[in-house]
Amino acid sequence: MDTIIETVNLCRNYGTGSNLVQALKSVNIQIPAGSFTAIMGKSGSGKSTLLHLIGGLDRPSSGKVIVDGEDLYVLNQDKLADYRRRKIGLVFQSYNLIEELNAYDNIVFPILLDKKKPDRGYVEMLAEELGIKDRLSHLPHQLSGGQQQRVAIARALAHKPTVILADEPTGNLDQESGQEVLKLFLACHEKFGQTIVMVTHDPDIGALADQILNIEDGRIVGDAV
Ligand SMILES: Nc1ncnc2c1ncn2[C@@H]1O[C@H](COP(=O)(O)OP(=O)(O)O)[C@@H](O)[C@H]1O
Ligand SMILES: [Mg+2]
C-alpha cells in the first residue's frame, strides 16, 4: 500500500529553558493509505501533539509532516486551512456540537463554512450507517452521549476527507456505547476506505488496528515502520 502520511524527524518542543518539554523527539512514521492505525501510549507521551501536527493544527519545532504528497508546514496559512477543511476529518473526545443546531445542521456546518454544497444523499447514507438517521432533526441535548459522538463522526466524514484523525473518540462513553461507536466507525472506514489514525488507551481497539504506533516520552518505540 502507498504511504499517505509520513513524518520526518518530527520534533515539537513546548516552553524554553527549565520549562522546556520535548513532546516529540524526532518521530519518523509512515502510515499506509486506507489503513487503520492506532496510536497508543501513556498520558503525556505526545499522542495528541502528534495527531495535531498530522492534522495541520500546530507547527513543528523541526522536521516535516507529509500528507498525500504535500509537505504541510511549507504551505501558507490559506493553503493549510484548505488542507484542514478538505483533507482531514477530526473526532475528539468531546463532541463539540453546536447546541442551537440540529444533528443534520451540525453535520453539514463545516461544509457550509467552506462555502460548499453538502451532499444530502451522502449525509443521509452516513447517518443510516451510523444509526442516527431518525435523529437528524434532534438538537444535541435530545441525544445520548453515544448518539452525539455518532453525529460528530458523521460531521468528520461528511466532506469525504482522505484522512480521519480521532483523539480518544470513545473516551467519554461507557463501555457499551464506546464499543458500538467504534464498530460503526470501523464499518464506515471499511465502506468508504478512508485512512484512520486513532489515539486510544483501549487494547481491544489496538487489537483491531492494522498497525499500532507505541509512543513513549515523545519517541516511537517497538514496531515503528
Ligand atoms: N500547550 C502546551 N504547553 C506546554 N506543554 C504542553 C502543551 N501541550 C502539551 N504539552 C506537554 O507535552 C507533552 C505531550 O502532551 P500530549 O501530546 O498532550 O500527550 P498525550 O496526548 O499523549 O497525553 C506533555 O508533557 C504535555 O504536558
Ligand atoms: Mg492526548
Side-chain angles (χ1 to χ4, degrees), residues 82-191:
D82 285 347
Y83 164 79
R84 283 195 298 265
R85 273 200 292 260
R86 301 191 183 143
K87 285 236 165 129
I88 298 292
L90 292 166
V91 181
F92 295 103
Q93 190 168 339
S94 52
Y95 323 123
N96 300 314
L97 301 177
I98 299 169
E99 280 303 326
E100 294 75 16
L101 298 182
N102 70 25
Y104 181 84
D105 291 336
N106 264 287
I107 292 168
V108 301
F109 188 66
I111 298 175
L112 299 177
L113 272 186
D114 195 25
K115 300 188 174 67
K116 296 273 178 349
K117 197 172 170 318
D119 178 344
R120 179 146 201 136
Y122 189 71
V123 171
E124 284 177 356
M125 185 183 58
L126 283 174
E128 176 94 59
E129 196 72 29
L130 290 162
I132 49 169
K133 196 157 181 216
D134 57 350
R135 293 288 185 278
L136 287 176
S137 59
H138 286 55
L139 294 169
H141 77 264
Q142 298 169 321
L143 300 171
S144 71
Q147 289 169 336
Q148 290 184 53
Q149 188 58 305
R150 290 184 229 172
V151 172
I153 292 170
R155 179 185 54 193
L157 296 169
H159 59 296
K160 303 173 187 164
T162 318
V163 174
I164 315 286
L165 302 174
D167 198 348
E168 304 191 42
T170 59
N172 271 339
L173 302 175
D174 61 55
Q175 179 80 10
E176 203 178 322
S177 24
Q179 284 294 327
E180 197 163 314
V181 162
L182 182 77
K183 253 184 9 218
L184 296 163
F185 206 96
L186 293 181
C188 282
H189 157 67
E190 296 258 304
K191 190 160 177 177

